[in-house]
């Protein structure tokens, strides 16, 4: 049957009907009083979502643009930065830092393993003359499903005192507790097509007072991504350039929905769906790529060992119209990834696991008892 697609990828994620309908209106002038009210409400609710009193700025960019803005606004050429690299996105922040002439110190870990906070501690403690200006961390590494230990790494950054912590929270914002003010996170970037339940096109950057202080002396070139312009406009319930008006209508409704569900409930739903998915894969004897201790609540990466991951993806797409994500770079064909980020319910998880089991049967997989995956997921969902 056509016309019933289901997105189980880590972005774009499914969009609720209320949000789609909110976007299906005529745009209005972005300098009008009516649109100022929309910006004011969005700004307030973004702060709620980010658990912060810091500025949360809204840019017409993808997540990468939000991160680029978060890096270039607070640093100068030659500044030393520590960049955690244990996947596609950590690697990207290293490349952006290099492209802008920063002195990049990569802290690498094999894909599928979490970053080791001790390596950050050692480098930060050894930096007596405070040359390290920023530490850049990907919280949920979407390419592998690994959740890095941001809280511990951030403690070492705080002990250093000088360096800013710059966080890629693109697949953790709205999926996992990130208490920005409590932890003192300086710069946190995210993107609309992930936990926000709206289509791609908006990026968000939260900026602390300490980061604004660094902004005053930072000399890397910037214009469209100059966050000072966004702050000045946002303080007046406006925007420096033309924003995607209809996407902002969608964001307004999505944030209202999130507030109605409540942060605790949103995080608990993501935990539950992650636990059910992981239990199902274990019951199917399909190894998980990320360890239980460091599992992203946005995405589960699976190594199907005896079955080609791309075959699984094409079969489940054809038979059930379910989109799963593949592996990136050297993991292509080796893993598949099940997204459970944003507007994903327990029912979606059960449907995806049932469809995956059918797909595995069709492909001749004999590594598990038929039904074991659904049973394991049901057992998790029945208890919680
Ligand atoms: C999706 C994603 C990004 C941003 O990617 P864009 O395609 O630029 O939106 C950044 N970091 C992580 C961890 C992501 O999952």
């Amino acid at each position: 049957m056509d016309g019933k697609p289901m997105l189980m990828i880590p972005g774009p994620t499914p969009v609720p009907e209320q949000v789609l309908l909110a976007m299906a209106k005529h745009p209005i002038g972005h300098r009008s009083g009516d649109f100022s009210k929309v910006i004011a409400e969005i700004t307030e609710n973004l702060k709620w979502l980010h658990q912060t009193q810091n500025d949360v700025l809204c840019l017409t960019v993808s997540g990468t643009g939000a991160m680029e803005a978060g890096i270039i606004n607070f640093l100068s050429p030659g500044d030393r930065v520590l960049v955690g690299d244990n996947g596609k996105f950590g690697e990207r922040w290293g490349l952006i830092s290099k492209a802008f002439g920063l002195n990049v110190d990569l802290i690498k870990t094999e894909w599928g393993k979490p970053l080791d906070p001790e390596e950050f501690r050692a480098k930060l403690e050894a930096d007596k003359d405070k040359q390290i200006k920023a530490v850049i961390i990907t919280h949920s590494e979407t390419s592998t499903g690994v959740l890095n230990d941001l809280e511990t790494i951030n403690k070492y950054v705080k002990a250093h005192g000088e360096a800013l912590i710059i966080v890629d929270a693109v697949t953790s914002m709205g999926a996992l507790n990130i208490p920005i003010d409590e932890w003192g996170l300086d710069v946190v970037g995210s993107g609309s097509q992930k936990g926000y339940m709206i289509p791609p096109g908006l990026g968000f950057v939260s900026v602390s007072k300490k980061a604004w202080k660094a902004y005053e002396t930072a000399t890397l070139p910037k214009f469209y991504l100059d966050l000072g312009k966004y702050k000045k406009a946002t303080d007046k319930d406006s925007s420096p350039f033309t924003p995607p008006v209809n996407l902002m209508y969608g964001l307004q409704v999505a944030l209202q929905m999130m507030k109605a569900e409540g942060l605790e409930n949103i995080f608990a739903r993501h935990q539950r769906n992650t636990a059910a998915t992981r239990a199902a894969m274990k019951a199917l004897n399909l190894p998980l790529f990320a360890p239980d201790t460091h599992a992203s609540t946005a995405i589960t990466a699976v190594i199907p060992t005896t079955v080609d991951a791309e075959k699984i993806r094409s079969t489940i797409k054809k038979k059930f119209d379910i989109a799963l994500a593949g592996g990136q770079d050297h993991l292509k064909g080796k893993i598949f990834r099940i997204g459970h980020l944003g507007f994903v319910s327990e029912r979606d998880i059960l449907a995806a696991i049932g469809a995956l089991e059918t797909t595995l049967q069709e492909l001749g997989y004999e590594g598990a008892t038929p039904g074991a995956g659904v049973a394991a997921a049901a057992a998790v969902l029945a208890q919680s």
Side-chain angles (χ1 to χ4, degrees):
M1 180 184 161
D2 290 333
K4 224 177 172 188
M6 183 171 172
L7 280 176
M8 298 293 282
I9 59 175
T13 60
V15 178
E17 194 166 79
Q18 297 96 302
V19 172
L20 292 170
L21 289 172
M23 293 192 304
K25 284 191 296 201
H26 282 290
I28 58 171
H30 63 289
R31 303 282 177 223
S32 64
D34 282 344
F35 200 66
S36 275
K37 288 188 200 129
V38 175
I39 294 180
E41 181 185 326
I42 286 174
T43 304
E44 190 188 319
N45 287 345
L46 283 172
K47 288 185 182 191
W48 166 81
L49 175 67
H50 284 68
Q51 304 183 59
T52 190
Q53 296 302 314
N54 290 341
D55 294 298
V56 182
L57 307 170
C58 192
L59 287 63
T60 311
V61 292
S62 80
T64 303
M67 282 302 291
E68 183 164 315
I71 294 169
I72 67 173
N73 275 270
F74 309 106
L75 296 163
S76 302
D79 277 355
R80 185 172 171 210
V81 293
L82 298 187
V83 181
D85 174 359
N86 62 333
K88 185 79 185 166
F89 292 99
E91 183 180 76
R92 184 176 295 173
W93 315 139
L95 292 172
I96 288 182
S97 301
K98 279 191 191 136
F100 281 91
L102 297 172
N103 173 8
V104 181
D105 195 345
L106 287 182
I107 299 193
K108 277 192 172 228
T109 304
E110 196 188 325
W111 289 35
K113 302 256 175 339
L115 294 170
D116 180 4
E118 281 307 298
E119 288 190 54
F120 289 85
R121 186 185 59 75
K123 297 234 179 192
L124 287 160
E125 280 183 3
D127 180 37
K128 297 293 179 220
D129 49 356
K130 310 292 176 194
Q131 291 300 304
I132 299 173
K133 299 301 177 197
V135 175
I136 305 173
I137 299 292
T138 301
H139 189 199
S140 160
E141 181 43 87
T142 315
S143 60
T144 62
V146 167
L147 186 70
N148 286 312
D149 187 355
L150 173 63
E151 189 175 6
T152 304
I153 294 169
N154 178 53
K155 277 189 188 138
Y156 300 139
V157 178
K158 289 284 153 309
H160 179 274
E162 170 76 20
L164 298 172
I165 180 127
I166 300 176
V167 181
D168 168 354
V170 180
T171 54
S172 48
M173 185 59 63
L176 193 72
N177 190 30
I178 313 174
I180 290 183
D181 286 357
E182 195 187 316
W183 290 359
L185 302 176
D186 294 303
V187 179
V188 179
S190 57
S192 60
Q193 81 277 26
K194 307 291 177 94
Y196 288 85
M197 312 193 293
I198 62 175
L202 283 169
F204 308 93
V205 191
S206 97
V207 182
S208 73
K209 288 209 169 67
K210 183 175 168 182
W212 283 125
K213 193 118 193 72
Y215 170 88
E216 286 169 18
T217 55
T219 60
L220 281 179
K222 52 191 175 286
F223 189 90
Y224 182 70
L225 296 182
D226 180 346
L227 292 178
K229 292 184 171 76
Y230 291 83
K231 174 168 169 52
K232 215 169 134 200
T234 307
D235 284 347
K236 289 188 241 154
D237 298 330
S238 181
S239 62
F241 311 107
T242 312
V245 169
N246 291 54
L247 200 47
M248 308 258 302
Y249 287 148
L251 176 61
Q252 182 183 24
V253 170
L255 287 166
Q256 287 166 0
M257 287 176 69
M258 289 170 104
K259 276 189 105 165
E261 186 175 2
L263 281 182
E264 299 278 307
N265 291 332
I266 293 171
F267 301 151
R269 173 166 55 82
H270 282 79
Q271 293 285 2
R272 219 162 34 237
N273 286 342
T274 304
T277 304
R278 292 179 69 88
M281 297 308 115
K282 286 179 192 172
L284 291 170
N285 294 313
L286 299 177
L288 295 164
F289 198 59
D292 284 341
T293 52
H294 294 78
S296 164
T297 54
I299 182 122
T300 298
V302 184
I303 317 165
T305 49
T306 58
V307 192
D308 185 298
E310 291 304 296
K311 269 244 167 67
I312 294 176
R313 290 209 312 128
S314 58
T315 308
I316 200 168
K317 178 75 183 63
K318 195 157 144 247
K319 211 173 177 94
F320 295 100
D321 210 352
I322 295 179
L324 299 179
Q328 292 168 286
D329 293 354
H330 63 278
L331 294 176
K332 194 159 181 65
K334 298 210 170 62
I335 63 167
F336 65 86
R337 296 174 298 148
I338 305 171
H340 32 73
L341 172 63
F343 190 58
V344 174
S345 69
E346 291 82 348
R347 186 180 69 195
D348 297 328
I349 298 294
L350 287 172
I353 291 167
L356 176 64
E357 288 215 37
T358 314
T359 301
L360 289 169
Q361 281 188 37
E362 177 170 330
L363 296 175
Y365 177 71
E366 288 179 339
T369 316
V374 172
V380 170
L381 296 176
Q383 285 166 12
S384 48

